[in-house]
């Protein structure tokens, strides 16, 4: 289980550095996987991307608080995304993109402890099937 306070602190400091990290997070996702970009072609107003990212944030906060409901939501989304062609560990690239952007936003203030706790968090989420 990752340390909730350490993960929360990265959320808060990233939000101070950038009020709306969504464009950066999707830019990172599409940098890692350019083939995912066309999946969002129909999302002309960004509504799906906004709501998907919100779900990801809620899922992370739920996992660090030990909320089983958010684990169910991750599990259901993992399954439903198979229908969009997002399979296996591809789903987890979204969470890694969030971590990458937070790390970039915090720059030199991102600590080794934060890196380690995020690694634990991503591993825990990846284990939710
Ligand atoms: C790289 C990973 C991911 C890709 C490529 C991806 C792709 C997509 C696409 C293409 C849609 C729109 C589907 C449609 O309406 O036709 C979508 C919707 C959605 N995704 Fe993802 N997804 C990813 C990861 C995640 C994760 C990790 C979560 C959260 C646990 C998530 C939650 C959602 C939700 C809640 C929606 C519905 C949003 C709405 O319409 O209001 N996705 N995703």
């Amino acid at each position: 289980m990752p340390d909730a306070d350490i993960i929360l602190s990265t959320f808060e400091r990233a939000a101070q550095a950038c009020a709306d990290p969504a464009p950066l997070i999707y830019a990172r996702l599409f940098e890692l996987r350019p083939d995912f970009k066309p999946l969002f072609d129909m999302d002309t107003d960004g509504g799906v991307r906004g709501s998907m990212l919100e779900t990801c944030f809620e899922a992370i906060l739920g996992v660090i608080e030990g909320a089983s409901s958010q684990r169910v939501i991750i599990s259901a989304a993992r399954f439903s995304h198979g229908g969009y062609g997002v399979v296996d560990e591809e789903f987890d690239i979204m969470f890694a993109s969030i971590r990458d952007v937070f790390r970039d936003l915090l720059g030199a203030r991102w600590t080794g402890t934060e890196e380690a706790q995020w690694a634990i968090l991503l591993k825990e989420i990846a284990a939710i099937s």
Side-chain angles (χ1 to χ4, degrees):
M1 181 76 126
D3 185 302
D5 289 340
I6 292 173
I7 300 291
L8 266 182
S9 161
T10 63
F11 264 76
E12 286 162 5
R13 283 149 56 232
Q16 281 162 12
C18 175
D20 179 15
L24 296 173
I25 291 167
Y26 281 100
R28 175 63 179 153
L29 178 64
F30 301 147
E31 183 187 9
L32 291 171
R33 288 296 297 263
D35 56 316
F36 286 162
K37 198 162 189 277
L39 295 177
F40 295 92
D41 278 355
M42 303 286 277
D43 182 31
T44 48
D45 66 355
V48 168
R49 274 165 290 178
S51 142
M52 183 169 123
L53 184 58
E54 205 175 303
T55 304
C56 292
F57 284 166
E58 282 166 8
I60 291 171
L61 298 176
V63 166
I64 63 175
E65 284 161 10
S68 58
S69 59
Q70 288 300 331
R71 301 180 78 90
V72 174
I73 285 168
I74 292 171
S75 177
R78 195 181 281 287
F79 179 77
S80 69
H81 279 61
Y84 315 144
V86 182
V87 295
D88 302 326
E89 64 274 14
E90 289 179 335
F91 181 76
D92 298 292
I93 298 173
M94 183 65 189
F95 292 111
S97 301
I98 294 171
R99 185 270 322 270
D100 291 353
V101 168
F102 283 10
R103 186 203 282 130
D104 283 354
L105 286 171
L106 295 189
R109 292 173 297 137
W110 178 265
T111 66
T113 309
E114 286 164 349
E115 181 72 28
Q117 290 303 317
W118 266 90
I120 293 170
L121 171 65
L122 296 189
K123 207 170 160 195
E124 180 149 344
I125 290 175
I128 300 172
S129 53

